[in-house]
């Protein structure tokens, strides 16, 4: 900056005002500074500029597992919307670990992000309260954080559990199993509640041996199916609380010689792009993944502009998508 000032015959502060557009400068002086910058190949230090402005043009996104296509498709909505708003996205994986979640949060704050989009790794009430106290703009995505008023975007997970179970009941199934996600995660708990509600409404007794806990990964669905299909009275249908576990269920059933859907109906949850290409194509509960990302990003940037506004909760609808992995009870 000093060399530019000398080359242009102006003060260093004049160069700084031109670079940061922080004060009016005569057109003659501005022209001289810009010519000197070009002649010397001077590039302003973006990080220093951002520090002076006390803002950056990046958004933090914390998810449990970006390899899960659900989060990848939500991230696409976030990244497209952020780019439109002249922001980039810093993606952080927690692997469902609350300590890693806290470490990522600290790093994002050090990076002075404009705000954080946050899919909770587990019970995260204290972390959210801390971020609010530090006036970090924040939107909770997909998984409610209990006992704290905070901007939230999610789908009606209980409604989705009801839709999946009712579909199987309508097909005549009575021995309906459920492979749940992590029990401390609200989406899984809500979907399981929807499952139990629909069994009860139809007079189907709840059999706890038909509920197996998974972790939203393929392998846990595979393991759960092998356990369920080894029961003395195996289920004729399985509701898996996400598509990856449903794929694991189909894999295990096929390996055990069962035909899907003729001998076992399978329903998933999320409707990731993969669901259309499984064999057979997966009946599932669709979440508006891209829209979740778009709405959450716009909510976050609004929050960054006005920290004092009252918190908002946007709950989106789920939709039953019937494909080839379910059939009437034979
Ligand atoms: O597939 C990952 C699951 O975790 C999704 O169902 C999503 O709702 C998240 O909770």
């Amino acid at each position: 900056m000093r060399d530019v000032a000398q080359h242009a015959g102006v003060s260093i502060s004049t160069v700084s005002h031109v670079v940061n557009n922080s004060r009016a400068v005569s057109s003659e002086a501005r022209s001289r500074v810009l010519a000197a910058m070009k002649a010397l190949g001077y590039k302003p230090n973006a990080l220093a500029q951002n520090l002076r402005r006390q803002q950056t043009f990046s958004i933090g996104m914390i998810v449990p597992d970006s390899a899960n296509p659900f989060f990848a498709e939500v991230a696409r909505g976030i990244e497209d919307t952020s780019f439109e708003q002249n922001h980039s996205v810093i993606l952080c994986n927690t692997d469902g670990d609350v300590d890693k979640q806290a470490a990522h949060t600290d790093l994002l704050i050090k990076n002075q992000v404009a705000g954080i989009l946050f899919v909770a790794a587990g019970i995260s009430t204290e972390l959210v309260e801390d971020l609010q106290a530090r006036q970090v703009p924040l939107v909770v995505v997909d998984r409610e954080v209990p006992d704290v008023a905070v901007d939230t975007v999610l789908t009606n997970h209980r409604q989705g559990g009801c839709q999946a179970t009712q579909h199987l009941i309508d097909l005549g199934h009575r021995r309906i199993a459920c492979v749940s996600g992590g029990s401390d995660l609200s989406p899984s708990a809500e979907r399981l509640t929807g499952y139990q509600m629909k069994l009860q409404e139809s007079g189907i007794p709840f059999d706890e041996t038909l509920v197996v806990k998974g972790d939203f990964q393929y392998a846990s669905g595979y393991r759960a199916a092998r356990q369920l299909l080894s029961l003395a009275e195996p289920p004729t249908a399985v509701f898996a609380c996400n598509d990856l576990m449903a794929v694991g269920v189909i894999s295990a059933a096929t390996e055990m010689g069962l035909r899907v859907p003729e001998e076992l109906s399978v329903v998933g949850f999320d409707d990731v792009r993969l669901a259309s290409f499984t064999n057979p194509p997966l009946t599932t509960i669709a979440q508006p993944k891209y829209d979740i990302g778009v709405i959450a990003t716009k909510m976050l940037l609004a929050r960054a502009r006005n920290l004092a506004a009252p918190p908002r909760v946007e709950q989106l609808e789920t939709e039953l998508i019937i494909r080839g992995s379910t059939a009437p009870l034979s």
Side-chain angles (χ1 to χ4, degrees):
M1 199 176 272
R2 184 179 297 107
D3 295 343
V4 169
Q6 194 166 13
H7 192 282
V10 300
S11 67
I12 290 176
S13 66
T14 299
V15 175
S16 173
H17 290 315
V18 169
V19 167
N20 295 300
N21 203 18
S22 50
R23 202 187 72 186
V25 172
S26 72
S27 56
E28 192 265 339
R30 176 179 297 278
S31 305
R32 294 218 313 268
V33 168
L34 294 176
M37 285 170 65
K38 189 173 180 182
L40 298 175
Y42 172 77
K43 291 276 186 286
N45 179 323
L47 183 59
Q49 281 184 303
N50 288 336
L51 288 173
R52 259 194 292 283
R53 290 192 195 114
Q54 288 300 306
Q55 72 174 38
T56 65
F57 292 91
S58 58
I59 285 173
M61 178 183 175
I62 296 181
V63 297
D65 176 10
S66 58
N68 181 320
F70 170 84
F71 297 113
E73 293 181 37
V74 170
R76 188 60 211 241
I78 290 171
E79 203 281 327
D80 287 350
T81 309
S82 299
F83 182 74
E84 284 167 12
Q85 304 289 328
N86 194 31
H87 281 67
S88 58
V89 178
I90 300 175
L91 176 62
C92 305
N93 276 299
T94 61
D95 300 318
D97 178 326
V98 289
D99 293 331
K100 198 171 176 187
Q101 176 175 266
H104 273 308
T105 305
D106 286 341
L107 282 172
L108 289 174
I109 292 171
K110 284 173 185 162
N111 272 291
Q112 289 195 307
V113 293
I116 298 176
L117 296 166
F118 179 80
V119 180
I123 304 299
S124 306
T125 306
E126 198 174 316
L127 178 63
V128 169
E129 288 171 340
D130 175 52
L131 289 172
Q132 289 181 322
R134 296 163 76 178
Q135 298 205 314
V136 176
L138 172 73
V139 173
V140 167
V141 178
D142 173 65
R143 303 172 176 186
E144 268 180 319
V145 174
D147 309 320
V148 61
V150 60
D151 287 339
T152 302
V153 180
L154 75 170
T155 47
N156 187 335
H157 300 294
R158 181 177 301 188
Q159 171 192 311
C162 290
Q163 290 168 326
T165 309
Q166 189 59 55
H167 170 61
L168 294 169
I169 291 169
D170 293 345
L171 291 173
H173 296 282
R174 292 294 174 274
R175 292 284 293 166
I176 302 171
C178 179
V179 182
S180 69
S183 52
D184 60 345
L185 300 175
S186 57
S188 182
E190 285 297 301
R191 293 167 199 175
L192 186 56
T193 299
Y195 160 80
Q196 290 171 312
M197 281 170 57
K198 285 304 176 184
L199 293 182
Q200 187 174 22
E201 280 177 24
S202 302
I204 299 172
F206 176 70
D207 177 352
E208 62 183 14
T209 65
L210 291 179
V211 177
V212 177
K213 185 179 168 192
D215 62 5
F216 283 144
Q217 300 295 340
Y218 297 101
S220 64
Y222 176 90
R223 287 194 299 271
R226 292 201 69 95
Q227 176 181 327
L228 290 162
L229 298 174
S230 304
L231 290 172
E233 285 187 68
T236 62
V238 177
F239 164 39
C241 285
N242 85 330
D243 289 347
L244 303 193
M245 294 192 297
V247 170
V249 169
I250 292 173
S251 173
T254 306
E255 222 175 65
M256 294 173 77
L258 285 174
R259 289 171 300 139
V260 177
E262 295 78 1
E263 296 167 295
L264 181 75
S265 283
V266 180
V267 179
F269 203 112
D270 291 344
D271 193 25
V272 296
R273 293 178 191 162
L274 167 73
S276 304
F277 301 98
T278 54
N279 181 21
L282 187 63
T283 296
T284 186
I285 302 300
Q287 294 200 70
K289 298 164 288 299
Y290 188 86
D291 289 347
I292 289 170
V294 171
I295 294 167
T297 305
K298 289 180 176 175
M299 192 183 280
L300 181 69
L301 294 174
R303 177 60 59 193
R305 289 190 294 270
N306 181 358
L307 279 169
R312 287 168 49 198
V313 177
E314 288 280 347
Q315 187 176 71
L316 306 177
E317 299 301 302
T318 57
E319 180 188 357
L320 173 63
I321 306 294
I322 299 174
R323 298 193 179 100
S325 65
T326 50
L329 178 65
S330 59

